[in-house]
Amino acid sequence: MGLEEEIQELEDEIASTPYNKSTEAHIGRLKSKLAEKKEKLEQQQSSSGGGGGYGVEKHGDATVALVGFPSVGKSTLLNALTNADSETGAYEFTTLDVYPGMLKHKGANIQILDVPGLIEGAAGGRGGGQEVLSVVRTADLIVFMVSVFEIDQYDRLSEELYKNKIRLDRDPPRVTIRKKAKDGLSVNSSVDLDLDEETIKSVLREHGYVNADVTIGEQVDLDRLIDGVMDNRVYLPSITVVNKADLIEPDYLPTVESELEDRDIDPDDAIFISAEEKRGLDGLTERIWEELGLIRIYMDKPGRGVDYEEPLILREGDTVGAACEKLGGSFDDRFRFARVSGPSAKHDEQQVGRDHELADEDVLRIIARK
């Protein structure tokens, strides 16, 4: 029996086994085996030339992947937002390669990738899906693009990303595993877990852990536990863009909003646009900026004053040390201290060290050794 057949057999058994306390450990073992076999199949496909990816080189301050079904309007949107020239057409599979474009906003260069339209079964390799998904995994933000008349496309898109180990709009599970030489498995938790200890241990054993201390810091179900044990998932933020909004009749809008709510998408959070008519693009651009968590740092350059034209682009939470690293050269090695004015400073020209956390539109001057 090949790996594909083994995977299908496991999926069928999981689907046909009723979930309750008495079957929980058994289902946990089945799901763990399934995750391992899928991992093995992916490695085989990669080594044989399948799922190698497009090798798109990342440029700019952040990367955004436009994810959608064929002919939903991704190429048109890319061309409207950036300097790209992605072929467009009102038929499926116009885009057969990954097209990058550069969105310039508030001094930042944001790379937008128009990836080939995802179809059902992409995670299993259909339609070059593995190559597409390998590009998506490297992005900093996922933009789901769906047609206003086909909101249900979101279900299939998110399912394909989930199958390819992409977890959206959530933090990694607080599961830590520390191997040890003896004494078996020990489970500790800071919350009252719904999963029983034997179920947790059975999952760990399926993944090769015999002696280890396991600490769980949140309520987890089986899938989330396996995610924490596998430790190869990608956690990315996402936003949903509803295209062709110019075609919505007023009496159809409540239907659209209801379909979004059915998928736990707040209609006020979704971004309604018309890529063809270039409507709603300013709001989309600003939302991309916010979701990426980018901040502008204006450098006070000796003898030249403050450069407000080309800010240093960092992420929320970044420190003076991160600024030194991004500036490159010898700043990091020669750093003495820095002076900061702006939102993060207690007063103008505050003297700070590497650990000082910067904020959007701070002015930064680095004092370095000669």
Side-chain angles (χ1 to χ4, degrees):
M1 185 185 293
L3 270 175
E4 289 93 341
E5 290 81 5
E6 291 179 18
I7 287 170
Q8 187 60 56
E9 197 172 84
L10 284 167
E11 288 178 338
D12 291 344
E13 186 174 354
I14 291 169
S16 63
T17 304
Y19 186 91
N20 53 54
K21 270 296 177 185
S22 64
T23 62
E24 188 177 72
H26 176 63
I27 292 175
R29 287 191 292 270
L30 292 176
K31 287 191 170 186
S32 295
K33 286 180 181 178
L34 180 62
E36 292 284 357
K37 289 189 182 296
K38 283 184 174 180
E39 193 81 9
K40 189 174 180 180
L41 179 61
E42 185 178 312
Q43 290 169 358
Q44 285 184 3
Q45 290 174 335
S46 180
S47 62
S48 64
Y54 286 100
V56 176
E57 187 175 349
K58 294 183 73 171
H59 291 285
D61 300 296
T63 299
V64 175
L66 285 178
V67 173
F69 270 59
S71 299
V72 76
K74 300 189 308 299
S75 298
T76 302
L77 177 60
L78 180 78
N79 294 337
L81 288 176
T82 75
N83 57 359
D85 185 20
S86 181
E87 184 183 356
T88 60
Y91 51 89
E92 291 194 352
F93 298 104
T94 305
T95 304
L96 298 176
D97 205 345
V98 174
Y99 284 88
M102 195 66 74
L103 168 64
K104 297 181 182 297
H105 185 61
K106 294 184 177 180
N109 292 311
I110 302 171
Q111 185 181 46
I112 312 286
L113 299 179
D114 168 19
V115 298
L118 281 179
I119 60 174
E120 287 181 270
R126 289 186 60 203
Q130 280 289 349
E131 289 87 345
V132 174
L133 290 165
S134 69
V135 172
V136 174
R137 285 171 63 89
T138 67
D140 300 298
L141 173 68
I142 305 296
V143 173
F144 283 108
M145 194 169 180
V146 297
S147 165
V148 69
F149 303 111
E150 296 178 284
I151 303 298
D152 63 339
Q153 291 176 339
Y154 179 89
D155 302 334
R156 290 168 282 171
L157 293 169
S158 58
E159 183 179 352
E160 290 302 329
L161 295 185
Y162 188 88
K163 288 178 179 177
N164 200 57
K165 303 184 286 292
I166 298 170
R167 305 293 183 254
L168 298 171
D169 305 313
R170 53 171 48 190
D171 294 325
R174 293 167 58 194
V175 176
T176 58
I177 303 173
R178 185 176 60 84
K179 288 184 177 181
K180 57 187 181 183
K182 57 181 181 177
D183 297 332
L185 295 170
S186 172
V187 179
N188 300 290
S189 65
S190 58
V191 296
D192 187 14
L193 295 173
D194 292 337
L195 293 177
D196 64 46
E197 187 169 312
E198 187 50 43
T199 297
I200 296 168
K201 288 181 177 180
S202 68
V203 168
L204 290 161
R205 292 189 191 102
E206 284 295 334
H207 290 283
Y209 292 100
V210 179
N211 298 295
D213 290 326
V214 184
T215 303
I216 302 175
E218 64 176 79
Q219 190 66 256
V220 293
D221 58 14
L222 276 174
D223 293 327
R224 192 114 163 104
L225 173 63
I226 292 170
D227 281 350
V229 174
M230 293 292 286
D231 197 30
N232 63 353
R233 279 40 175 161
V234 176
Y235 296 84
L236 298 174
S238 74
I239 57 178
T240 301
V241 172
V242 181
N243 194 26
K244 305 178 184 177
D246 56 313
L247 303 179
I248 303 177
E249 296 291 340
D251 60 349
Y252 184 64
L253 183 58
T255 300
V256 176
E257 293 177 339
S258 176
E259 289 197 21
L260 288 168
E261 289 170 348
D262 288 345
R263 289 153 181 86
D264 294 325
I265 302 170
D266 187 335
D268 291 334
D269 285 338
I271 303 160
F272 289 78
I273 69 163
S274 171
E276 190 71 39
E277 300 294 328
K278 297 185 178 180
R279 296 181 187 175
L281 302 191
D282 288 344
L284 172 58
T285 299
E286 188 61 32
R287 181 68 177 279
I288 288 172
W289 169 272
E290 293 172 1
E291 292 295 330
L292 287 170
L294 299 177
I295 60 174
R296 296 155 291 180
I297 304 301
Y298 303 119
M299 298 304 301
D300 186 351
K301 301 176 180 179
R304 288 177 286 174
V306 180
D307 183 357
Y308 290 102
E309 298 301 316
E310 295 184 13
L312 180 70
I313 303 297
L314 298 175
R315 298 291 182 94
E316 291 175 357
D318 277 351
T319 62
V320 171
C324 289
E325 288 179 19
K326 187 157 187 179
L327 287 168
S330 59
F331 275 111
D332 211 20
D333 294 333
R334 298 189 299 118
F335 179 85
R336 288 175 57 205
F337 61 89
R339 294 197 181 278
V340 178
S341 300
S344 77
K346 295 178 180 178
H347 54 78
D348 285 350
E349 295 283 311
Q350 180 185 353
Q351 182 172 320
V352 299
R354 291 176 185 271
D355 295 335
H356 178 81
E357 189 173 307
L358 296 165
D360 189 34
E361 297 198 272
D362 272 347
V363 174
L364 173 66
R365 177 155 51 99
I366 295 174
I367 313 300
R369 299 182 184 85
K370 295 182 178 180

